[in-house]
DNA sequence: GCGTTGCCATAGATCGAGGCTATCAAACTT
DNA sequence: AAGTTTGATAGCCTCGATCTATGGCAACGC
């Protein structure tokens, strides 16, 4: 407390000198005069009580402490830029490109509801969609190729924040003549001994459904792994077995007059949680909260259960 | 660039208001007058072009953007405090408590060399030692219970930085009457079919030695897992098998006249790398570099190979 | 070896950001 | 309705960041 804290300008000066290894050029790059920059660095060294830069008339180089402090100063300056960015984004909420990745077992069932709502309420938002499996989405999110991912939670990825959106029950889809057809409180154990058709490897819904099957003692027809839920439902209609669908997919995939029936499970009903994921460092958290509201707003009329809105986010 | 950047003072003001939810008390806590603080927050809102605080005469609360920016501002202010801390540490290098964790297969062989050197050259440093296995040390490091850990590299822990110190060959320890006794270029494959004694689970050296054994086709005497290298060497002397030691342990553990012999491997000689690990965010990186030099300085006279000093660190 | 050149530090003047005191305006209390 | 609490505004002042001009020092050329 006795020591005055470094100034913002001083940190910028130090980083400039570190970048250019030359006071004159650094000063030019920062649009200040060379003496100004010189005294700024000197002042920083005085307040910190440590030599940061070794000056000779021929070369400028950093001391060990200097390196350390430059690294932290870069972080500080970057964070301040972020603050400005957050503010700019907030001034124009939900505008510009939004690179959204969606898992294949959600995309075809949620997007047709979401897109019209969004276009109506936020015409400035340009959604760039990408459909891929969870692992791919998370990698692209982390690498900055995506802004947002819509997928099953939780993923427990460090540095990734998740917004829960809704819980989606698993529903049994079976041939119409099957004994379970139309059941409304089928225990999971009723799957014992049944042939269940599942997605191919890599889909998170495959793993979730497989869990249910293994608990119940059902068999997977491993020779018939499909690339999409549509394909699987066709195969069920063809009498090759039965399958599980996430509730949102039922309306689209199970039409009338195709020889298909559904059945719902008894409690505890197997289900999955769908939500948004974004980099915890994202400058557009406010945008993502707004988008989450839009997804929730797109849901009524379905039998999906909304997740409670976390405190602090306007509902 | 058109928008002026936020000031430190302004950020501090905002965080103060967020903490106290009251302008008057926040001003008192920051040792400024209430109007000063008021105008600082107002100025910040003006430069960012966004309302951050909702004021009524009865209560003060943050907007959504406000929350976001407060969180980032805290980070910025914390980082600036860190910068000051780095400088203070650098002004008084290697002083105060250093909580150092060491793995059990290094501690008894390195510390007796290190401690006297360190006490001589850095009398102000107070080393608090802790001996534990790698997993424990890394957890304590991460949690802040340790400042530093001396262990085998690499660990590839995110957020943990490692300084390589030296490479240490593995040496074969055998009964004196064993055919391999005194060998100086024994191929690893010569271990095939031998009974090898290893440490109990959890020691990194156990895993490393086990790798060598499995490659060579040696058997582990699994019923005889020991808690320390000393114990193992006693068991070798008792004729129960042979073992591997890290080179630094040989001088201490294998004395004269105990019926023990050593043998060195032919190339590629199995070995491990020992180094220091610390939180990447540590404010005392300069200290840790100095300490690394001390460890290296303590080594000459042994047959351990020093690792090259990374560029930028004074050697 | 001596002048030239490049480069960083110092000096002194200027101007604006941020600080303070005094006062106002609004809203809740009694 | 008067008082109290609390944040905003006004006006003044101080200090620090910036500028131009100049000084000092080391390396290089001829």
């Amino acid at each position: 407390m006795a020591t005055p804290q470094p100034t913002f300008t001083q940190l910028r000066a130090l980083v400039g000198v570190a970048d250019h290894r030359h006071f004159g050029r650094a000063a030019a790059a920062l649009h200040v005069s060379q003496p100004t920059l010189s005294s700024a660095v000197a002042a920083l060294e005085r307040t910190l009580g440590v030599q940061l830069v070794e000056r000779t008339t021929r070369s400028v180089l950093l001391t060990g402490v200097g390196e350390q402090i430059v690294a932290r100063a870069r972080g500080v300056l970057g964070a301040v830029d972020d603050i400005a960015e957050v503010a700019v984004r907030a001034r124009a909420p939900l505008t510009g490109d939004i690179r959204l990745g969606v898992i294949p077992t959600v995309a075809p069932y949620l997007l047709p509801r979401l897109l019209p709502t969004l276009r109506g309420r936020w015409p400035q938002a340009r959604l760039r969609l990408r459909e891929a499996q969870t692992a791919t989405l998370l990698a692209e999110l982390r690498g900055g190729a995506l802004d947002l991912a819509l997928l099953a939670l939780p993923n427990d990825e460090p540095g990734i924040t998740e917004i829960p959106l809704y819980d989606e029950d698993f529903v049994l889809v079976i041939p119409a003549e099957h004994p379970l057809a139309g059941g409304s409180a089928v225990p999971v154990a009723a799957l014992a001994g049944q042939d269940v058709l599942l997605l191919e490897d890599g889909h998170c819904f495959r793993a979730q459904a497989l869990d249910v099957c293994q608990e119940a003692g059902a068999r997977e027809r491993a020779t018939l792994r499909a690339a999409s839920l549509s394909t699987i439902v066709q195969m069920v209609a063809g009498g090759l077995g039965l399958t599980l669908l996430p509730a949102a997919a039922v309306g689209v995939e199970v039409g009338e007059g195709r020889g298909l029936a559904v059945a719902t499970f008894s409690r505890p009903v197997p289900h999955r949680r769908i939500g948004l994921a974004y980099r915890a460092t994202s400058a557009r958290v406010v945008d993502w909260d707004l988008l989450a509201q839009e997804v929730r707003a797109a849901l009524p009329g379905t039998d999906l259960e909304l997740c409670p809105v976390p405190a602090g986010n306007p509902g």
Side-chain angles (χ1 to χ4, degrees), chain A:
Chain A
M1 293 297 108
T3 48
Q5 275 198 327
T7 301
F8 210 62
T9 314
Q10 292 171 355
L11 296 185
R12 251 196 302 269
L14 177 65
V15 170
V17 169
D19 283 341
H20 293 86
R21 303 196 169 278
H22 188 290
F23 278 68
R25 284 192 288 275
L30 294 174
H31 306 109
V32 295
S33 71
Q34 170 265 315
T36 296
L37 182 121
S38 219
S39 70
V41 175
L44 181 59
E45 287 181 320
R46 198 162 357 100
T47 64
L48 293 180
V50 175
Q51 186 178 3
L52 303 173
V53 181
E54 305 240 10
R55 302 109 153 127
T56 70
T57 48
R58 268 300 137 200
S59 71
V60 171
L61 50 116
L62 294 169
T63 64
V65 206
E67 292 275 11
Q68 283 298 314
I69 290 187
V70 164
R72 284 156 205 275
R74 281 185 211 280
V76 170
L77 297 178
V80 173
D81 286 345
D82 274 1
I83 287 180
E85 162 103 16
V86 169
V88 168
R89 291 294 184 179
R91 246 183 310 183
L94 276 188
T95 59
D97 279 0
I98 300 171
R99 294 165 302 170
L100 171 65
V102 190
I103 56 173
T105 54
V106 165
Y109 317 116
L110 181 61
L111 295 182
R113 292 177 160 273
L114 175 63
L115 295 184
T117 322
L118 201 65
R119 223 189 305 272
R121 304 233 317 191
W122 301 101
Q124 306 274 14
R126 296 185 65 83
L127 222 51
R128 308 278 180 194
L129 290 170
R130 166 143 174 67
E131 186 174 325
Q133 295 176 355
T134 302
T136 309
L137 293 184
L138 288 173
E140 291 181 356
L141 197 57
R142 188 177 294 284
L146 284 178
D147 298 314
L148 266 184
L150 182 59
L151 35 64
L153 309 185
N155 291 288
D156 282 326
E157 289 276 311
I160 302 286
T161 304
E162 300 179 337
I163 308 178
L165 290 174
Y166 61 89
D167 287 332
E168 181 176 43
D169 284 348
F170 295 170
V171 174
L172 203 51
V173 176
I174 42 192
E177 67 277 8
H178 193 282
L180 290 175
S184 65
V186 177
V188 168
L191 290 179
Q194 300 283 341
D195 280 329
V196 179
L197 305 175
L198 295 177
L199 288 172
E200 60 193 11
D201 266 345
H203 291 271
C204 59
F205 183 65
R206 170 188 163 79
Q208 291 151 357
L210 196 57
D211 276 351
V212 176
C213 293
Q214 285 176 338
E215 183 193 329
R219 290 188 303 271
E220 182 196 359
R221 292 204 59 160
T223 53
L224 288 174
R225 292 182 187 167
S228 77
L229 294 178
S230 278
T231 308
I232 289 197
V233 172
Q234 300 308 321
M235 285 157 46
V236 171
L240 296 174
L242 43 78
T243 195
L244 299 181
L245 284 188
V250 171
V252 174
E253 300 294 354
V254 184
E256 291 288 319
R258 280 199 272 159
L260 287 169
V262 298
T264 57
F265 288 106
S266 61
R267 302 184 184 220
V269 182
H271 66 278
R272 65 176 181 175
R273 172 159 292 187
I274 300 296
L276 286 172
Y278 56 85
R279 284 182 299 285
T281 55
S282 167
R284 301 173 75 181
V285 180
V286 177
D287 279 10
W288 308 154
D289 280 341
L290 284 172
L291 196 67
Q293 285 178 245
E294 291 308 318
V295 176
R296 293 201 184 89
L299 289 181
T302 69
D303 52 355
L304 307 174
E305 278 183 54
L306 290 179
C307 293
V309 179
N313 297 340

mmCIF file with all atom_site columns, all heavy atoms in Angstrom, chain A residues 4 30 37 64 69 93-94 105 150 158 171 191 218 236 238 272 282 311 313-314:
data_model
loop_
_atom_site.group_PDB
_atom_site.id
_atom_site.type_symbol
_atom_site.label_atom_id
_atom_site.label_alt_id
_atom_site.label_comp_id
_atom_site.label_asym_id
_atom_site.label_entity_id
_atom_site.label_seq_id
_atom_site.pdbx_PDB_ins_code
_atom_site.Cartn_x
_atom_site.Cartn_y
_atom_site.Cartn_z
_atom_site.occupancy
_atom_site.B_iso_or_equiv
_atom_site.pdbx_formal_charge
_atom_site.auth_seq_id
_atom_site.auth_comp_id
_atom_site.auth_asym_id
_atom_site.auth_atom_id
_atom_site.pdbx_PDB_model_num
ATOM 1   N N   . PRO A 1 4   ? 3.087   3.082   -4.598  1.00 0.00 ? 4   PRO A N   1
ATOM 2   C CA  . PRO A 1 4   ? 2.040   3.434   -5.557  1.00 0.00 ? 4   PRO A CA  1
ATOM 3   C C   . PRO A 1 4   ? 1.947   2.343   -6.610  1.00 0.00 ? 4   PRO A C   1
ATOM 4   O O   . PRO A 1 4   ? 2.939   1.686   -6.922  1.00 0.00 ? 4   PRO A O   1
ATOM 5   C CB  . PRO A 1 4   ? 2.556   4.750   -6.150  1.00 0.00 ? 4   PRO A CB  1
ATOM 6   C CG  . PRO A 1 4   ? 4.036   4.712   -5.958  1.00 0.00 ? 4   PRO A CG  1
ATOM 7   C CD  . PRO A 1 4   ? 4.274   3.915   -4.720  1.00 0.00 ? 4   PRO A CD  1
ATOM 8   N N   . LEU A 1 30  ? 3.459   3.804   -30.261 1.00 0.00 ? 30  LEU A N   1
ATOM 9   C CA  . LEU A 1 30  ? 2.444   4.147   -29.260 1.00 0.00 ? 30  LEU A CA  1
ATOM 10  C C   . LEU A 1 30  ? 1.947   5.577   -29.442 1.00 0.00 ? 30  LEU A C   1
ATOM 11  O O   . LEU A 1 30  ? 1.118   6.048   -28.655 1.00 0.00 ? 30  LEU A O   1
ATOM 12  C CB  . LEU A 1 30  ? 3.025   3.981   -27.848 1.00 0.00 ? 30  LEU A CB  1
ATOM 13  C CG  . LEU A 1 30  ? 3.370   2.552   -27.449 1.00 0.00 ? 30  LEU A CG  1
ATOM 14  C CD1 . LEU A 1 30  ? 4.081   2.534   -26.096 1.00 0.00 ? 30  LEU A CD1 1
ATOM 15  C CD2 . LEU A 1 30  ? 2.112   1.696   -27.375 1.00 0.00 ? 30  LEU A CD2 1
ATOM 16  N N   . LEU A 1 37  ? 7.879   8.180   -23.312 1.00 0.00 ? 37  LEU A N   1
ATOM 17  C CA  . LEU A 1 37  ? 7.958   6.751   -23.094 1.00 0.00 ? 37  LEU A CA  1
ATOM 18  C C   . LEU A 1 37  ? 9.109   6.420   -22.156 1.00 0.00 ? 37  LEU A C   1
ATOM 19  O O   . LEU A 1 37  ? 8.990   5.589   -21.252 1.00 0.00 ? 37  LEU A O   1
ATOM 20  C CB  . LEU A 1 37  ? 8.157   6.058   -24.448 1.00 0.00 ? 37  LEU A CB  1
ATOM 21  C CG  . LEU A 1 37  ? 8.196   4.550   -24.347 1.00 0.00 ? 37  LEU A CG  1
ATOM 22  C CD1 . LEU A 1 37  ? 7.101   3.961   -25.201 1.00 0.00 ? 37  LEU A CD1 1
ATOM 23  C CD2 . LEU A 1 37  ? 9.531   4.033   -24.792 1.00 0.00 ? 37  LEU A CD2 1
ATOM 24  N N   . GLY A 1 64  ? 15.313  -10.416 -16.092 1.00 0.00 ? 64  GLY A N   1
ATOM 25  C CA  . GLY A 1 64  ? 14.431  -11.552 -15.799 1.00 0.00 ? 64  GLY A CA  1
ATOM 26  C C   . GLY A 1 64  ? 13.106  -11.088 -15.223 1.00 0.00 ? 64  GLY A C   1
ATOM 27  O O   . GLY A 1 64  ? 12.037  -11.523 -15.659 1.00 0.00 ? 64  GLY A O   1
ATOM 28  N N   . ILE A 1 69  ? 7.237   -9.417  -15.735 1.00 0.00 ? 69  ILE A N   1
ATOM 29  C CA  . ILE A 1 69  ? 6.259   -8.349  -15.586 1.00 0.00 ? 69  ILE A CA  1
ATOM 30  C C   . ILE A 1 69  ? 5.657   -7.993  -16.937 1.00 0.00 ? 69  ILE A C   1
ATOM 31  O O   . ILE A 1 69  ? 4.466   -7.696  -17.032 1.00 0.00 ? 69  ILE A O   1
ATOM 32  C CB  . ILE A 1 69  ? 6.915   -7.146  -14.870 1.00 0.00 ? 69  ILE A CB  1
ATOM 33  C CG1 . ILE A 1 69  ? 7.151   -7.567  -13.417 1.00 0.00 ? 69  ILE A CG1 1
ATOM 34  C CG2 . ILE A 1 69  ? 6.056   -5.902  -14.971 1.00 0.00 ? 69  ILE A CG2 1
ATOM 35  C CD1 . ILE A 1 69  ? 7.624   -6.490  -12.515 1.00 0.00 ? 69  ILE A CD1 1
ATOM 36  N N   . PRO A 1 93  ? -26.627 -5.721  -28.851 1.00 0.00 ? 93  PRO A N   1
ATOM 37  C CA  . PRO A 1 93  ? -26.765 -7.120  -28.455 1.00 0.00 ? 93  PRO A CA  1
ATOM 38  C C   . PRO A 1 93  ? -27.193 -8.008  -29.624 1.00 0.00 ? 93  PRO A C   1
ATOM 39  O O   . PRO A 1 93  ? -27.975 -7.598  -30.479 1.00 0.00 ? 93  PRO A O   1
ATOM 40  C CB  . PRO A 1 93  ? -27.849 -7.071  -27.376 1.00 0.00 ? 93  PRO A CB  1
ATOM 41  C CG  . PRO A 1 93  ? -28.592 -5.822  -27.634 1.00 0.00 ? 93  PRO A CG  1
ATOM 42  C CD  . PRO A 1 93  ? -27.638 -4.861  -28.258 1.00 0.00 ? 93  PRO A CD  1
ATOM 43  N N   . LEU A 1 94  ? -26.655 -9.204  -29.628 1.00 0.00 ? 94  LEU A N   1
ATOM 44  C CA  . LEU A 1 94  ? -27.024 -10.207 -30.632 1.00 0.00 ? 94  LEU A CA  1
ATOM 45  C C   . LEU A 1 94  ? -26.972 -9.660  -32.050 1.00 0.00 ? 94  LEU A C   1
ATOM 46  O O   . LEU A 1 94  ? -27.929 -9.767  -32.810 1.00 0.00 ? 94  LEU A O   1
ATOM 47  C CB  . LEU A 1 94  ? -28.405 -10.793 -30.329 1.00 0.00 ? 94  LEU A CB  1
ATOM 48  C CG  . LEU A 1 94  ? -28.403 -11.937 -29.325 1.00 0.00 ? 94  LEU A CG  1
ATOM 49  C CD1 . LEU A 1 94  ? -29.775 -12.581 -29.238 1.00 0.00 ? 94  LEU A CD1 1
ATOM 50  C CD2 . LEU A 1 94  ? -27.367 -12.987 -29.684 1.00 0.00 ? 94  LEU A CD2 1
ATOM 51  N N   . THR A 1 105 ? -28.108 -34.899 -33.055 1.00 0.00 ? 105 THR A N   1
ATOM 52  C CA  . THR A 1 105 ? -29.361 -35.405 -32.488 1.00 0.00 ? 105 THR A CA  1
ATOM 53  C C   . THR A 1 105 ? -30.207 -34.294 -31.894 1.00 0.00 ? 105 THR A C   1
ATOM 54  O O   . THR A 1 105 ? -31.244 -34.547 -31.277 1.00 0.00 ? 105 THR A O   1
ATOM 55  C CB  . THR A 1 105 ? -29.071 -36.473 -31.403 1.00 0.00 ? 105 THR A CB  1
ATOM 56  O OG1 . THR A 1 105 ? -28.180 -35.935 -30.443 1.00 0.00 ? 105 THR A OG1 1
ATOM 57  C CG2 . THR A 1 105 ? -28.484 -37.714 -32.033 1.00 0.00 ? 105 THR A CG2 1
ATOM 58  N N   . LEU A 1 150 ? -24.265 -26.115 -28.975 1.00 0.00 ? 150 LEU A N   1
ATOM 59  C CA  . LEU A 1 150 ? -25.525 -26.582 -28.416 1.00 0.00 ? 150 LEU A CA  1
ATOM 60  C C   . LEU A 1 150 ? -25.423 -28.095 -28.338 1.00 0.00 ? 150 LEU A C   1
ATOM 61  O O   . LEU A 1 150 ? -25.359 -28.772 -29.366 1.00 0.00 ? 150 LEU A O   1
ATOM 62  C CB  . LEU A 1 150 ? -26.669 -26.160 -29.337 1.00 0.00 ? 150 LEU A CB  1
ATOM 63  C CG  . LEU A 1 150 ? -28.097 -26.497 -28.936 1.00 0.00 ? 150 LEU A CG  1
ATOM 64  C CD1 . LEU A 1 150 ? -28.442 -25.887 -27.592 1.00 0.00 ? 150 LEU A CD1 1
ATOM 65  C CD2 . LEU A 1 150 ? -29.071 -25.990 -29.991 1.00 0.00 ? 150 LEU A CD2 1
ATOM 66  N N   . PRO A 1 158 ? -12.688 -27.816 -18.599 1.00 0.00 ? 158 PRO A N   1
ATOM 67  C CA  . PRO A 1 158 ? -12.175 -26.608 -17.964 1.00 0.00 ? 158 PRO A CA  1
ATOM 68  C C   . PRO A 1 158 ? -12.148 -25.455 -18.963 1.00 0.00 ? 158 PRO A C   1
ATOM 69  O O   . PRO A 1 158 ? -11.821 -25.643 -20.126 1.00 0.00 ? 158 PRO A O   1
ATOM 70  C CB  . PRO A 1 158 ? -10.753 -27.011 -17.555 1.00 0.00 ? 158 PRO A CB  1
ATOM 71  C CG  . PRO A 1 158 ? -10.418 -28.186 -18.393 1.00 0.00 ? 158 PRO A CG  1
ATOM 72  C CD  . PRO A 1 158 ? -11.703 -28.880 -18.704 1.00 0.00 ? 158 PRO A CD  1
ATOM 73  N N   . VAL A 1 171 ? -37.656 -41.559 -25.269 1.00 0.00 ? 171 VAL A N   1
ATOM 74  C CA  . VAL A 1 171 ? -38.923 -42.214 -25.605 1.00 0.00 ? 171 VAL A CA  1
ATOM 75  C C   . VAL A 1 171 ? -38.616 -43.486 -26.392 1.00 0.00 ? 171 VAL A C   1
ATOM 76  O O   . VAL A 1 171 ? -37.683 -43.516 -27.197 1.00 0.00 ? 171 VAL A O   1
ATOM 77  C CB  . VAL A 1 171 ? -39.810 -41.255 -26.431 1.00 0.00 ? 171 VAL A CB  1
ATOM 78  C CG1 . VAL A 1 171 ? -41.066 -41.964 -26.917 1.00 0.00 ? 171 VAL A CG1 1
ATOM 79  C CG2 . VAL A 1 171 ? -40.162 -40.025 -25.610 1.00 0.00 ? 171 VAL A CG2 1
ATOM 80  N N   . LEU A 1 191 ? -36.940 -53.508 -21.278 1.00 0.00 ? 191 LEU A N   1
ATOM 81  C CA  . LEU A 1 191 ? -36.089 -53.622 -22.466 1.00 0.00 ? 191 LEU A CA  1
ATOM 82  C C   . LEU A 1 191 ? -35.266 -54.911 -22.456 1.00 0.00 ? 191 LEU A C   1
ATOM 83  O O   . LEU A 1 191 ? -34.633 -55.242 -23.465 1.00 0.00 ? 191 LEU A O   1
ATOM 84  C CB  . LEU A 1 191 ? -35.128 -52.439 -22.547 1.00 0.00 ? 191 LEU A CB  1
ATOM 85  C CG  . LEU A 1 191 ? -35.758 -51.076 -22.876 1.00 0.00 ? 191 LEU A CG  1
ATOM 86  C CD1 . LEU A 1 191 ? -34.695 -49.992 -22.904 1.00 0.00 ? 191 LEU A CD1 1
ATOM 87  C CD2 . LEU A 1 191 ? -36.466 -51.153 -24.225 1.00 0.00 ? 191 LEU A CD2 1
ATOM 88  N N   . ALA A 1 218 ? -30.666 -55.006 -22.235 1.00 0.00 ? 218 ALA A N   1
ATOM 89  C CA  . ALA A 1 218 ? -31.056 -55.172 -23.648 1.00 0.00 ? 218 ALA A CA  1
ATOM 90  C C   . ALA A 1 218 ? -29.815 -55.435 -24.488 1.00 0.00 ? 218 ALA A C   1
ATOM 91  O O   . ALA A 1 218 ? -28.702 -55.152 -24.071 1.00 0.00 ? 218 ALA A O   1
ATOM 92  C CB  . ALA A 1 218 ? -31.767 -53.918 -24.135 1.00 0.00 ? 218 ALA A CB  1
ATOM 93  N N   . VAL A 1 236 ? -36.439 -49.456 -37.588 1.00 0.00 ? 236 VAL A N   1
ATOM 94  C CA  . VAL A 1 236 ? -37.449 -49.948 -36.643 1.00 0.00 ? 236 VAL A CA  1
ATOM 95  C C   . VAL A 1 236 ? -38.743 -50.254 -37.393 1.00 0.00 ? 236 VAL A C   1
ATOM 96  O O   . VAL A 1 236 ? -39.384 -51.306 -37.190 1.00 0.00 ? 236 VAL A O   1
ATOM 97  C CB  . VAL A 1 236 ? -37.708 -48.916 -35.520 1.00 0.00 ? 236 VAL A CB  1
ATOM 98  C CG1 . VAL A 1 236 ? -38.906 -49.333 -34.661 1.00 0.00 ? 236 VAL A CG1 1
ATOM 99  C CG2 . VAL A 1 236 ? -36.469 -48.754 -34.657 1.00 0.00 ? 236 VAL A CG2 1
ATOM 100 N N   . GLY A 1 238 ? -38.978 -51.143 -40.293 1.00 0.00 ? 238 GLY A N   1
ATOM 101 C CA  . GLY A 1 238 ? -38.753 -52.363 -41.058 1.00 0.00 ? 238 GLY A CA  1
ATOM 102 C C   . GLY A 1 238 ? -38.715 -53.607 -40.193 1.00 0.00 ? 238 GLY A C   1
ATOM 103 O O   . GLY A 1 238 ? -38.449 -54.702 -40.698 1.00 0.00 ? 238 GLY A O   1
ATOM 104 N N   . ARG A 1 272 ? -31.867 -36.645 -20.996 1.00 0.00 ? 272 ARG A N   1
ATOM 105 C CA  . ARG A 1 272 ? -30.595 -35.929 -21.119 1.00 0.00 ? 272 ARG A CA  1
ATOM 106 C C   . ARG A 1 272 ? -30.867 -34.444 -20.996 1.00 0.00 ? 272 ARG A C   1
ATOM 107 O O   . ARG A 1 272 ? -31.989 -33.987 -21.246 1.00 0.00 ? 272 ARG A O   1
ATOM 108 C CB  . ARG A 1 272 ? -29.904 -36.243 -22.446 1.00 0.00 ? 272 ARG A CB  1
ATOM 109 C CG  . ARG A 1 272 ? -30.679 -35.750 -23.655 1.00 0.00 ? 272 ARG A CG  1
ATOM 110 C CD  . ARG A 1 272 ? -29.894 -35.992 -24.930 1.00 0.00 ? 272 ARG A CD  1
ATOM 111 N NE  . ARG A 1 272 ? -30.618 -35.496 -26.093 1.00 0.00 ? 272 ARG A NE  1
ATOM 112 C CZ  . ARG A 1 272 ? -30.128 -35.490 -27.319 1.00 0.00 ? 272 ARG A CZ  1
ATOM 113 N NH1 . ARG A 1 272 ? -28.918 -36.000 -27.555 1.00 0.00 ? 272 ARG A NH1 1
ATOM 114 N NH2 . ARG A 1 272 ? -30.841 -35.013 -28.324 1.00 0.00 ? 272 ARG A NH2 1
ATOM 115 N N   . SER A 1 282 ? -15.236 -15.684 -23.048 1.00 0.00 ? 282 SER A N   1
ATOM 116 C CA  . SER A 1 282 ? -15.925 -14.992 -24.135 1.00 0.00 ? 282 SER A CA  1
ATOM 117 C C   . SER A 1 282 ? -16.390 -13.609 -23.715 1.00 0.00 ? 282 SER A C   1
ATOM 118 O O   . SER A 1 282 ? -16.865 -13.403 -22.600 1.00 0.00 ? 282 SER A O   1
ATOM 119 C CB  . SER A 1 282 ? -17.126 -15.815 -24.595 1.00 0.00 ? 282 SER A CB  1
ATOM 120 O OG  . SER A 1 282 ? -17.952 -15.028 -25.433 1.00 0.00 ? 282 SER A OG  1
ATOM 121 N N   . ALA A 1 311 ? -29.615 -17.592 -11.352 1.00 0.00 ? 311 ALA A N   1
ATOM 122 C CA  . ALA A 1 311 ? -29.800 -16.274 -10.739 1.00 0.00 ? 311 ALA A CA  1
ATOM 123 C C   . ALA A 1 311 ? -28.891 -15.261 -11.403 1.00 0.00 ? 311 ALA A C   1
ATOM 124 O O   . ALA A 1 311 ? -27.782 -15.568 -11.792 1.00 0.00 ? 311 ALA A O   1
ATOM 125 C CB  . ALA A 1 311 ? -29.489 -16.352 -9.248  1.00 0.00 ? 311 ALA A CB  1
ATOM 126 N N   . ASN A 1 313 ? -29.296 -13.814 -14.224 1.00 0.00 ? 313 ASN A N   1
ATOM 127 C CA  . ASN A 1 313 ? -29.616 -13.646 -15.641 1.00 0.00 ? 313 ASN A CA  1
ATOM 128 C C   . ASN A 1 313 ? -31.078 -13.256 -15.794 1.00 0.00 ? 313 ASN A C   1
ATOM 129 O O   . ASN A 1 313 ? -31.955 -13.930 -15.280 1.00 0.00 ? 313 ASN A O   1
ATOM 130 C CB  . ASN A 1 313 ? -29.379 -14.945 -16.412 1.00 0.00 ? 313 ASN A CB  1
ATOM 131 C CG  . ASN A 1 313 ? -27.921 -15.335 -16.371 1.00 0.00 ? 313 ASN A CG  1
ATOM 132 O OD1 . ASN A 1 313 ? -27.071 -14.500 -16.109 1.00 0.00 ? 313 ASN A OD1 1
ATOM 133 N ND2 . ASN A 1 313 ? -27.646 -16.604 -16.611 1.00 0.00 ? 313 ASN A ND2 1
ATOM 134 N N   . PRO A 1 314 ? -31.325 -12.192 -16.487 1.00 0.00 ? 314 PRO A N   1
ATOM 135 C CA  . PRO A 1 314 ? -32.715 -11.770 -16.667 1.00 0.00 ? 314 PRO A CA  1
ATOM 136 C C   . PRO A 1 314 ? -33.498 -12.856 -17.380 1.00 0.00 ? 314 PRO A C   1
ATOM 137 O O   . PRO A 1 314 ? -33.028 -13.431 -18.348 1.00 0.00 ? 314 PRO A O   1
ATOM 138 C CB  . PRO A 1 314 ? -32.586 -10.515 -17.525 1.00 0.00 ? 314 PRO A CB  1
ATOM 139 C CG  . PRO A 1 314 ? -31.256 -10.641 -18.213 1.00 0.00 ? 314 PRO A CG  1
ATOM 140 C CD  . PRO A 1 314 ? -30.389 -11.409 -17.273 1.00 0.00 ? 314 PRO A CD  1
#
